[in-house]
Amino acid sequence: MKTQMVAAFAGLALLLASSTSHADQSIEQIYGVYCVQCHGLQRNGTRINVPALSVKPRDHTEAKGMGDTPDDELYKAIKEGGLAVNKSVLMPTWGRVLSEDQINGLVKNLRQVCKCGK
């Protein structure tokens, strides 16, 4: 069951990546497409895929943990996936889907969400 849900999520991510253009979308819309399924609308790491994941997604509202994470690490996690920063292998790589500006926009947005601006 867990494997099937994770595979379905990966398939959904690939479908979204290949069929959606994000040139005109806001950072909120991009977060809604790529991040919400695991990190949730409230950005606290409790969303639909959580029961199927072996590692709970990061709580983006948690000021201490997010504040201790440098911007370049957040950028790398989004671009290259969780494994690139020694986090969950279930965090997908979005570097081939999102532009550098969009990834930087997500990092900036995460700083506002956690109220831990750097």
Side-chain angles (χ1 to χ4, degrees):
M1 172 86 169
K2 255 186 178 179
T3 303
Q4 291 171 334
M5 290 185 78
V6 171
F9 170 68
L12 174 63
L14 288 173
L15 176 66
L16 290 170
S18 64
S19 66
T20 309
S21 170
H22 296 290
D24 297 324
Q25 287 192 325
S26 73
I27 295 303
E28 287 294 317
Q29 290 169 320
I30 292 169
Y31 191 97
V33 170
Y34 293 101
C35 311
V36 144
Q37 288 301 312
C38 293
H39 296 284
L41 291 170
Q42 304 303 315
R43 287 144 170 81
N44 61 1
T46 58
R47 191 58 181 135
I48 193 168
N49 287 328
V50 170
L53 301 175
S54 58
V55 177
K56 184 179 184 265
R58 178 162 239 184
D59 179 349
H60 292 148
T61 66
E62 200 267 308
K64 172 74 172 117
M66 289 295 291
D68 289 344
T69 306
D71 287 353
D72 61 337
E73 185 174 328
L74 293 175
Y75 180 94
K76 188 172 184 177
I78 296 167
K79 183 173 183 166
E80 299 176 27
L83 191 58
V85 294
N86 298 315
K87 300 292 182 189
S88 175
V89 299
L90 300 175
M91 168 65 187
T93 62
W94 298 117
R96 292 187 178 165
V97 178
L98 301 174
S99 70
E100 288 189 31
D101 287 342
Q102 289 168 322
I103 296 172
N104 282 321
L106 284 168
V107 171
K108 183 177 178 182
N109 179 264
L110 292 174
R111 292 294 177 215
Q112 293 170 347
V113 167
C114 71
K115 297 178 178 75
C116 60
K118 289 205 170 224

